[in-house]
Amino acid sequence: MATLLLRNADRLVTMDATRREIDGGFLLVEDNRIVAVGGPEAAPQTADTVIDLAGHVLLPGLVNTHHHMYQSLTRAVPAAQDADLFGWLKALYPIWARLTPEMVRVSTQTAMAELILSGCTTSSDHLYLYPNGCRLDDSIEAADAIGLRFHAARGAMSVGESAGGLPPDALVEDEAAILADARRLIETWHDPAPYAMRRIVVAPCSPFSVSPGLMRDAAALARSYGVSLHTHLAENQDDVTYSRERFGMSPAEYAADLGWVGPDVWHAHCVKLDEDGIRLFARTGTGVAHCPCSNMRLASGIAPVPRMRCEGVTVGLGVDGSASNDGGHLLGEARQALLLARVGYGPAAMTARQALEIATLGGAKVLGRDDIGALAPGMAADCVAFDLRGLGLAGARHDPVAALVFCAPPSVALSVINGRIVVQDGRLLTLDTARLAERHTTLSRHLVNGV
């Protein structure tokens, strides 16, 4: 049984039931789980691998609850730079129609590398279009190679423009085929066990791209297998208007009517979730993926996250697609969540530690997991350390935990995922990032320019 000892951290942030923070703290790992956490007086003297974390903050790995990793190929596309959600989608759909399996694999690894280096150890990804032979398997295999804990969401679009939807008809799929592929993916890839590195999520894309029938059937399928459900909801005012005109209901009412509420469901954005919707989500245990940078980029608005949390709604963070955020720094997203909450609700609306709690425990709960998000015996060995000794954090050592959120977001110095050292001394160990970026850039040019 391999052991790993991380010791002498300036501050160890547990996110345990009492939210302990330990000066000079240590963490002992056996294989893929944590077996001991404590202060310097109780630290073991030896282990198979020992890493000294003087000058670092050690905390649970961050959890990303919403992404579209393929979109890293279309960052900053000129035609979509200054559009709102629907205009942005219409500008990019024709480009995404040229996506290939290699593009899915390479963009997934690019997005995952960026996330890992920002402190993320678990991520969901919502792949909802499958042109030219693309499969969710391409993303899953890419994740296996890089070492990120992964919730792969089988997205889908089935209502094209000719039927009143937003996407072009060429990008929608037959609903029976969507359900059949979701079933295949669950039976092939889903791991329900504790510490699972791979889980499958059933995730029709949005109210404006799938039918009510598919939403209901997808929910029934997911629940028959015990897997989670995910979609977009109430992202901006156009989204709300579409729901009211098309279905005669608010987005939250529509979700409830379809059976899309409960602790096995989480919705992305919810910028325009009304008070009745907030109470519904709190009452049913329905989760929300808060994506502050994307909501700002597309001028969608400010999600009422302080109100949600006050009512007891489970909230996690999402970087969203790297074409509506154009970045994937999850610690940076926590900072943005804090700042945006204060703009909308005042300076006491969110503290730095609350932002980190949303990024760890909140994300874990949104994804339906009780084995990640905290550093405590029995939890999965997912942790990250940030070096406090750089210029960006100089002068902030009097509160090193708050410094991670208030100061410019640093890159991770050490990342351990499922007991495996994935980043050490700031360098990703599982793949060549320079070669990956070069290939990603080439594929991006091909995709955007159509050559």
Side-chain angles (χ1 to χ4, degrees):
M1 187 175 291
T3 56
L4 168 66
L5 174 62
L6 308 178
R7 67 183 182 190
N8 199 31
D10 276 24
R11 183 74 56 83
L12 188 153
V13 180
T14 65
M15 287 294 171
D16 65 10
T18 61
R19 304 297 189 268
R20 283 188 305 158
E21 295 181 9
I22 304 170
D23 290 338
F26 79 90
L27 184 75
L28 181 64
V29 172
E30 289 182 357
D31 290 340
N32 65 342
R33 65 188 183 92
I34 298 168
V35 294
V37 179
E41 70 288 346
Q45 296 303 305
T46 62
D48 296 325
T49 302
V50 179
I51 297 176
D52 188 279
L53 290 178
H56 293 72
V57 172
L58 180 65
L59 65 156
L62 309 185
V63 180
N64 180 40
T65 63
H66 187 63
H67 209 330
H68 308 292
M69 294 182 180
Y70 75 90
Q71 291 179 10
S72 62
L73 292 158
T74 52
R75 300 190 219 234
V77 169
Q81 286 180 10
D82 303 314
D84 63 6
L85 173 63
F86 281 17
W88 175 86
L89 285 167
K90 288 179 178 178
L92 290 172
Y93 280 143
I95 296 173
W96 295 337
R98 297 190 285 265
L99 201 66
T100 67
E102 185 191 7
M103 290 174 181
V104 171
R105 289 192 297 272
V106 172
S107 61
T108 296
Q109 289 195 335
T110 298
M112 287 183 171
E114 186 177 18
L115 283 170
I116 289 170
L117 290 169
S118 77
C120 179
T121 55
T122 298
S123 183
S124 174
D125 184 46
H126 191 191
L127 182 61
Y128 57 80
L129 43 80
Y130 298 89
N132 311 309
C134 294
R135 303 188 306 160
L136 189 60
D137 309 64
D138 300 316
S139 294
I140 294 168
E141 290 162 0
D144 284 352
I146 198 171
L148 185 70
R149 198 179 297 277
F150 190 36
H151 285 229
R154 205 304 180 180
M157 300 191 296
S158 67
V159 178
E161 287 177 304
S162 65
L166 194 71
D169 289 351
L171 279 178
V172 302
E173 298 177 86
D174 173 77
E175 294 189 352
I178 291 166
L179 295 168
D181 192 50
R183 185 177 295 106
R184 176 192 67 83
L185 287 160
I186 295 167
E187 292 178 353
T188 303
W189 295 108
H190 183 69
D191 181 359
Y195 313 127
M197 288 293 288
R198 183 195 308 118
R199 289 187 178 166
I200 300 296
V201 180
V202 178
C205 185
S206 62
F208 51 81
S209 62
V210 299
S211 72
L214 179 61
M215 293 291 283
R216 291 191 180 95
D217 290 345
L221 173 68
R223 287 174 175 139
S224 73
Y225 282 97
V227 304
S228 296
L229 289 158
H230 180 52
T231 192
H232 299 84
L233 195 77
E235 185 168 353
N236 71 358
Q237 191 55 49
D238 288 341
D239 200 349
V240 176
T241 300
Y242 184 94
S243 182
R244 289 199 176 276
E245 292 180 352
R246 182 90 170 178
F247 310 118
M249 291 178 268
S250 72
E253 290 168 340
Y254 182 60
D257 184 63
L258 298 171
W260 273 71
V261 292
D264 58 349
V265 181
W266 86 99
H267 296 276
H269 303 297
C270 296
V271 173
K272 299 297 182 179
L273 195 66
D274 58 19
E275 285 293 325
D276 288 342
I278 291 172
R279 287 190 288 270
L280 169 70
F281 278 29
R283 186 169 64 252
T284 58
T286 306
V288 171
H290 177 40
C291 307
C293 286
S294 174
N295 297 158
M296 296 171 71
R297 158 78 151 79
L298 297 175
S300 296
I302 301 174
V305 169
R307 282 287 306 122
M308 293 179 191
R309 284 172 51 82
C310 182
E311 291 292 331
V313 177
T314 301
V315 180
L317 282 183
V319 299
D320 202 9
S322 294
S324 64
N325 179 339
D326 302 277
H329 200 298
L330 193 52
L331 183 62
E333 206 73 36
R335 181 177 192 263
Q336 199 63 61
L338 176 143
L339 298 177
L340 198 57
R342 292 181 173 202
V343 167
Y345 293 88
M350 187 178 294
T351 68
R353 284 167 173 81
Q354 286 170 340
L356 288 174
E357 182 176 306
I358 292 170
T360 53
L361 286 172
K365 190 173 180 181
V366 163
L367 295 184
R369 302 202 61 145
D370 60 5
D371 55 352
I372 60 173
L375 302 182
M379 299 294 282
D382 290 5
C383 59
V384 292
F386 291 91
D387 193 333
L388 297 165
R389 297 168 294 186
L391 288 173
L393 296 173
R397 296 282 282 274
H398 32 265
D399 189 344
V401 180
L404 293 179
V405 180
F406 280 111
C407 299
S411 294
V412 75
L414 174 77
S415 176
V416 177
I417 304 177
N418 206 42
R420 176 189 185 189
I421 299 172
V422 174
V423 175
Q424 192 163 17
D425 298 325
R427 185 173 68 87
L428 185 63
L429 304 180
T430 51
L431 51 74
D432 184 332
T433 55
R435 181 178 295 179
L436 176 66
E438 182 179 5
R439 183 58 183 161
H440 187 269
T441 298
T442 299
L443 292 173
S444 174
R445 289 186 182 129
H446 291 331
L447 180 66
V448 173
N449 297 327
V451 294

